[in-house]
């Protein structure tokens, strides 16, 4: 190929790549973005300290519901097919184990995103949930709500005679139970225009609660983390395989992704509810109103990477003093975190370590430093290695994050009769000289500063 032709070909390919490559140029850090309860501006953070995202509304929480990042997370928004996560929850809460889902004409013809189910198809609930969550099937959403709603009405006729209406009512009741304060469901699929236009809405923060709830159902976890799959339905008297292609591209983009659900309508914009798990630390995110469908995944990945970069494994024992502990036939070197006064002696303490000297916790560094509060037991008689001699409570932002017993590293014998007489005499003299009657307990454990940025605001 002539050089000038090759050059034109390469240039053309480069231009096409630029045009086709998803853009992340709109992602940004805002001064009003909230990190662990305080704004970027209040903390005095740099852009490098913060996640750069594009979505109008976003939230990132840990498995305890602690908000790590928020951008207008309480603002009302359409959530499109993220609605289907609540549909799955309510179905699992209310469906009999042997329920069969039949696809009605209304379900087959609902339109928009589809699992390609046909009128008359029949399947078990697990297959229907896969059709709901993997390709975001509106047909599956209607079929599930019709079938489960009918069983709910059969169990409680006061619910009326509209199965879908009864099901949607249960969706709103479940949202209220989860503490969602600004959420209204009006259908099981999330369509929000034409005949479905109405008051359906939620917030990023409310949907994070839904995500946390949903991932407590093993069946949902298995489905949303499994990617594309195939289900089998009864169709026209025979078995038929239906291939389901996942809409969750983050499963391929980020190795720690475990779900959950995409959503997009003209009103909602591209949105995504995500979940990730790295080394047992689980995070949930919701981004609403991204500029394009790729960007919702880029935003979510950015949030997860940023959060895990700021998750620290913190050892609870932070002492440079060590002792050899011999207890229950075992011997090991352990950190001495405190020395606890022995009440029968004037000048003796019991070296103490944590009940689990290797214990550690995972903390989010922007939540601030971890403090400790040590309580000492009153010690009398012989104290054996391994005996409880106190306790330690660890807090971050005034919330208890860990608790540990203090145990003796070494055996300290009680004073014998001669020692007791000598100690009694010394204490009597001490009444006149001011000498201490017992030794002073000491703490050797010093918790480190884990993020200097956390000291920029009051904790």
């Amino acid at each position: 190929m002539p050089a000038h032709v090759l050059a034109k070909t390469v240039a053309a390919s480069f231009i096409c790549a630029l045009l086709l490559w998803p853009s992340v140029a709109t992602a940004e850090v805002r001064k009003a973005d909230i990190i662990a309860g305080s704004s970027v501006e209040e903390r005095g953070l740099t852009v490098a300290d913060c996640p750069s995202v594009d979505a109008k509304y976003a939230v990132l929480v840990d498995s305890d519901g602690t908000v790590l990042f928020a951008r207008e997370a309480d603002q009302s928004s359409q959530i499109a097919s993220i609605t289907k996560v609540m549909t799955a929850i309510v179905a699992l809460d209310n469906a009999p184990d042997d329920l069969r889902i039949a696809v009605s004409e209304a379900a087959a013809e609902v339109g928009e995103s589809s699992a390609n189910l046909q009128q008359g198809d029949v399947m078990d609930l697990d297959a229907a949930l896969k059709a709901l969550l993997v390709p975001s099937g509106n047909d599956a959403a209607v079929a599930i709500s019709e079938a489960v709603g009918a069983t709910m009405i059969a169990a409680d006729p006061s619910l009326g005679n509209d199965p879908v209406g009864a099901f949607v009512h249960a969706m709103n009741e479940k949202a209220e139970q989860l503490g969602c304060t600004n959420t209204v469901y009006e259908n099981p699929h999330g369509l929000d225009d034409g005949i479905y236009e109405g008051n359906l809405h939620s917030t990023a923060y409310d949907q994070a609660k839904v995500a946390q709830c949903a991932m407590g159902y093993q069946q949902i976890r298995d489905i949303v983390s499994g990617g594309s799959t195939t289900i089998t339905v009864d169709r026209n008297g025979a078995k038929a395989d239906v291939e389901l292609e996942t809409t969750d591209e983050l499963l391929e983009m980020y190795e720690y992704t475990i779900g959950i659900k995409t959503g997009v309508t003209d009103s909602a914009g591209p949105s995504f509810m995500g979940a990730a798990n790295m080394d047992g630390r689980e995070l949930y995110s919701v981004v609403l109103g991204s500029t394009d469908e790729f960007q919702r995944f880029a935003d979510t990945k950015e949030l997860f990477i940023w959060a895990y970069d700021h998750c620290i494994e913190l050892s609870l024992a932070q002492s440079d003093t060590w002792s050899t502990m011999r207890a229950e036939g075992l011997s090991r070197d352990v950190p001495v975190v405190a020395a606890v006064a022995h009440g029968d002696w004037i000048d003796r303490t019991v070296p103490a370590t944590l009940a689990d000297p290797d214990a550690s916790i995972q903390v989010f560094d922007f939540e601030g430093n971890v403090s400790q509060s040590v309580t000492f037991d009153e010690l009398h008689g012989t104290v054996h290695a391994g005996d409880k001699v106190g306790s330690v409570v660890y807090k971050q932002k005034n919330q208890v994050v860990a608790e540990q017993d203090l145990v003796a590293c070494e055996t300290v014998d009680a004073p014998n009769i001669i020692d007791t007489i000598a100690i009694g005499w010394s204490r009597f003299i001490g009444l006149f000289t001011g000498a201490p009657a017992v030794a002073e307990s000491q703490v050797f454990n010093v918790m480190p500063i884990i993020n200097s940025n956390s000291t920029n605001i009051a904790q």
Side-chain angles (χ1 to χ4, degrees), residues 119-134:
Q119 181 179 353
D121 286 351
V122 179
M123 70 208 80
D124 61 24
L125 180 60
D126 186 67
L129 289 174
K130 289 176 180 176
L132 173 79
L133 296 172
V134 176

Side-chain angles (χ1 to χ4, degrees), residues 235-280:
R235 177 176 292 172
N236 299 323
K239 298 293 184 182
D241 288 340
V242 180
E243 294 184 0
L244 306 175
E245 184 175 351
T246 183
T247 59
D248 185 356
E249 296 178 26
L250 196 63
L251 289 168
E252 297 295 327
M253 291 173 56
Y254 184 58
E255 62 180 312
Y256 300 109
T257 303
I258 54 173
I260 301 179
K261 187 71 190 72
T262 57
V264 59
T265 63
D266 289 342
S267 297
S271 303
F272 185 62
M273 173 192 285
N277 188 303
M278 178 190 288
D279 300 328

Side-chain angles (χ1 to χ4, degrees), residues 50 56 73 89 106 118 129 154 183 204 213 215 235 259 312 314 330 334 341 350 405 450:
C50 310
K56 289 181 181 179
I89 292 171
Q118 297 180 13
L129 289 174
T183 295
C213 172
M215 295 305 276
R235 177 176 292 172
I312 293 176
L314 181 67
L330 300 175
V334 294
V350 178
D405 283 340
I450 59 176

Side-chain angles (χ1 to χ4, degrees), residues 179-249:
C180 298
T181 59
N182 192 7
T183 295
V184 174
Y185 293 104
E186 293 189 337
N187 59 57
H189 39 65
L191 293 174
D192 54 25
D193 62 357
I195 63 172
Y196 299 109
E197 185 175 358
N199 189 38
L200 66 164
H201 65 271
S202 188
T203 68
Y205 184 54
D206 278 2
Q207 288 304 303
K209 295 178 181 179
V210 176
Q212 186 175 5
C213 172
M215 295 305 276
Y217 293 75
Q218 189 61 49
Q219 199 166 349
I220 294 177
R221 290 180 75 94
D222 291 343
I223 291 171
V224 298
S225 64
S228 299
T229 189
T230 300
I231 60 172
T232 300
V233 302
D234 294 331
R235 177 176 292 172
N236 299 323
K239 298 293 184 182
D241 288 340
V242 180
E243 294 184 0
L244 306 175
E245 184 175 351
T246 183
T247 59
D248 185 356
E249 296 178 26

